[in-house]
Each structure stands twice: as structure tokens, then as C-alpha cells.
Amino acid sequence: AALAGNPTLVALLDADFDVYLEPVFAAVPDTDRYDVAEWQALLATVGQSNYRSDSFLYEVQPDSLNCDPGVLNPAATDRFLYTLNLIRKLHRLPAVDYDTFYDAEMQQANLVQLANNYFTHYPQPGDVCYTAAAASGAGSSNISWSSWQGDPARYALGWTNDNNNVSSLMAAGHRRWVLFPNLGFTAYGQVEGYSSMKVFGFGNSPGYDLPEDLEYVAFPYRNYPYIMVEKGSKPTPWSISIVPASGWGNDDYFGSGSVSVQHSTSGASLPVHSQHTDNIGYCLPNFFSWMVDNWQYDTPYVVTISNVTMPGGATVTIEYPVEIDYAEF
């Protein structure tokens, strides 16, 4: 019956012949493999002095003594956006658009931090260089600080890694915004070592649909560039969030969940600890994170999340590969 509609095969079936089939094997492109060349090109330049220079970063130089936030060069915002979307591409997430309307807000959000020598999402009236725009920007953004003026690409990578999160390391809030499927838009600001990435409050809806088969957002996921996953004294939390089929309900997917990380070939289990779950109502309102010890670069692992509770009470298991690439860089 399977041959119906193909007259050549039907004729062979009807004929009195012995028919032999010989398989021919062909290489199949690995569609789950990220574009290594793109990442090699980016990482070869991250942190170079020219991308940290005033001439590259600023169209108008900031002046904190006179409360002038300055203006970033389009090349600086383009570099940030390119890196952000390259990161999202690793997770099959749509690229976000840049909204220049909030550029001044982002600059003021960073200026007030520098002028007051603090690091906060909540600037207050009376603070040096305070404006309503500075408060709005700081309160609706990922923010970061370093003791030196950095490459905009470095800040995007750092927010995804999130191992310097001083608020809640295991909640990885900066990463959750970077990898928020419905982010849609962003804007970026930088004043010396202070930087900000606007993540909500745009008033516009994303102009795209998510992939229908996007079930979850995991980090790290499949083959992954080493630059965003660290070990040693400041390890990076691994994590996952479920993408709801519809709506934004805060279902407790991971309240009874557990995670294991095993070597793909030997089946040996790696130590997993510091498990954290929350249903905080921003980004995807479900989150599961953990620490993994003793993992190695360029080594294939399988992550298994067991007892994931779906709406309605059914439990499922989620399994995906992880290999953190270093040798190619």
C-alpha cells in the first residue's frame, strides 16, 4: 500500500524480479550546530581597545560634572545589538529590534549611577544628576558596572553569563531578560563603566511569532560558546524555563522537579547542587537553575529534568544535550 501512487515502484512490485536495495549514506548538515565562524569572529575582537575607546563609543562625550549624559555612536549600539541577537540565535529565539527613542533614557540611567558612585535600579529625587528619565531607565533595564570602560559586546555576554549577579545569583534575572522569548525591543546605554539594556516598558508588541515548537529556553544549550559559561571560583548557574503554550500563567513547572547531568558516552553523573526554582512574575514566570561541578570543555553531556509538572498535573521529562565549546576558539 505504501507504494501506491508511484508507478515505477508499483511496476517493480508487480514484476517477477528479485529486487535488491543498497543504502547510500550521505552527510546531513547539523542544523542544531551554531555558526562557529560568527562566534570566532566576535570573540576574536571582544574587549579590544578600539571597542572601548571614547572615539568608538561616543558621538557626544558624557560629562558627569555638568550632568551631561552624552550620546552613544550608532556603531556602539549596533555592536551591542548584534551580540545580543547572536546570543538569542543560540536558543532559537527571534532577533529583537532596536528602539532609539529610549537612547537618552539609557544614557541618563547610567549617568546618575556614575555621578553618585552607586549601583541601583532605584535612583531617588535629590540624587546628583537625577531625572525622571534616569529613574525610569534604571528601573526598566539590566544594569551593569565595571571599574573600566568596556566593549558593548562584553556587557551582553556578561548579562547572559550572569555569574556576577549581586542581587540573586541563582535567579539569574539578567539572563532571563536577555533570553526572554517575547523581548521584542531593546535600547542600550553606556557611560564609562556603567551600562544598561532596556528590557521592558516599550509600549510596542514584538513584530514576530515564536517558533511553534519552542517548548523551553535552556542555558547552556546544545553546542555553546565557552565565553558565557564559567567554572572555578565564580561558576555560572545553568537554567531552564518553560515557554507556555498560551498565556503567561505562572504554573509551578519545577516545584517537584529534579535535574541530572551525565556524560553522554559513559553515563557518569556530575555533581549537581544549589537547585533554585521561582515563579517571579517577570520574563517567563517559571525558572529552574542549578550548579554543575566538574564539567569539562568540549565534552558532551545530557541534561535531564525529571518530574516537570505541566498544567493539568501530568509530569514529563525534558532532555537535551550540552557541549561547551572551547577548542574551536
Side-chain angles (χ1 to χ4, degrees):
L3 304 182
N6 189 319
T8 302
L9 296 180
V10 169
L12 283 172
L13 183 64
D14 290 341
D16 188 17
F17 296 129
D18 290 330
V19 178
Y20 298 90
L21 303 181
E22 179 180 349
V24 176
F25 296 96
V28 178
D30 184 358
T31 56
D32 294 322
R33 181 78 168 159
Y34 66 94
D35 190 328
V36 174
E38 277 186 312
W39 278 92
Q40 288 173 330
L42 175 66
L43 298 190
T45 64
V46 166
Q48 288 184 350
S49 59
N50 56 309
Y51 291 113
R52 296 184 283 111
S53 66
D54 288 347
S55 60
F56 174 78
L57 289 170
Y58 302 116
E59 190 171 281
V60 177
Q61 185 82 22
D63 180 0
S64 60
L65 294 179
N66 293 298
C67 292
D68 183 351
V71 178
L72 283 184
N73 273 322
T77 56
D78 287 349
R79 182 162 172 83
F80 174 80
L81 183 66
Y82 172 78
T83 306
L84 173 65
N85 282 330
L86 204 59
I87 294 166
R88 289 175 61 85
K89 188 177 175 182
L90 292 169
H91 300 266
R92 301 177 56 241
L93 297 173
V96 300
D97 293 322
Y98 195 90
D99 194 335
T100 58
F101 180 81
Y102 297 96
D103 279 349
E105 181 182 279
M106 291 296 93
Q107 287 301 99
Q108 292 182 57
N110 294 307
L111 176 71
V112 74
Q113 315 277 334
L114 175 64
N116 292 278
N117 192 31
Y118 60 31
F119 185 53
T120 179
H121 285 289
Y122 308 105
Q124 298 297 312
D127 292 348
V128 179
C129 299
Y130 174 88
T131 64
S136 175
S140 60
S141 299
N142 282 346
I143 59 175
S144 182
W145 173 82
S146 63
S147 57
W148 63 90
Q149 183 164 268
D151 177 350
R154 177 71 76 180
Y155 292 108
L157 297 167
W159 280 316
T160 311
N161 183 334
D162 221 6
N163 67 333
N164 285 310
N165 191 314
V166 297
S167 175
S168 177
L169 174 64
M170 297 309 297
H174 304 111
R175 177 192 305 160
R176 291 161 75 165
W177 281 117
V178 168
L179 301 183
F180 182 38
N182 291 93
L183 181 59
F185 300 92
T186 195
Y188 178 74
Q190 185 172 333
V191 176
E192 295 190 13
Y194 292 90
S195 64
S196 58
M197 165 195 172
K198 190 170 180 66
V199 294
F200 65 85
F202 292 95
N204 295 314
S205 299
Y208 54 72
D209 295 320
L210 298 178
E212 292 183 0
D213 60 345
L214 183 66
E215 299 177 354
Y216 55 84
V217 179
F219 170 96
Y221 183 61
R222 299 188 179 274
N223 295 98
Y224 213 79
Y226 78 94
I227 192 70
M228 290 172 287
V229 193
E230 294 186 36
K231 49 184 176 178
S233 61
K234 298 192 73 173
T236 301
W238 297 22
S239 64
I240 188 172
S241 289
I242 299 291
V243 179
S246 61
W248 296 102
N250 60 341
D251 296 285
D252 188 11
Y253 293 96
F254 302 113
S256 300
S258 62
V259 60
S260 67
V261 180
Q262 296 177 299
H263 192 285
S264 295
T265 305
S266 70
S269 294
L270 274 59
V272 174
H273 59 92
S274 303
Q275 296 186 30
H276 163 91
T277 64
D278 70 58
N279 284 46
I280 297 172
Y282 60 82
C283 306
L284 292 174
N286 67 90
F287 189 70
F288 186 20
S289 64
W290 59 93
M291 288 290 188
V292 183
D293 291 343
N294 302 336
W295 60 267
Q296 302 298 319
Y297 296 113
D298 306 306
T299 304
Y301 299 104
V302 175
V303 176
T304 303
I305 316 292
S306 303
N307 295 319
V308 180
T309 304
M310 305 302 289
T315 59
V316 300
T317 296
I318 296 173
E319 187 175 282
Y320 55 90
V322 169
E323 183 171 343
I324 301 168
D325 298 339
Y326 188 86
E328 293 179 284
F329 298 98

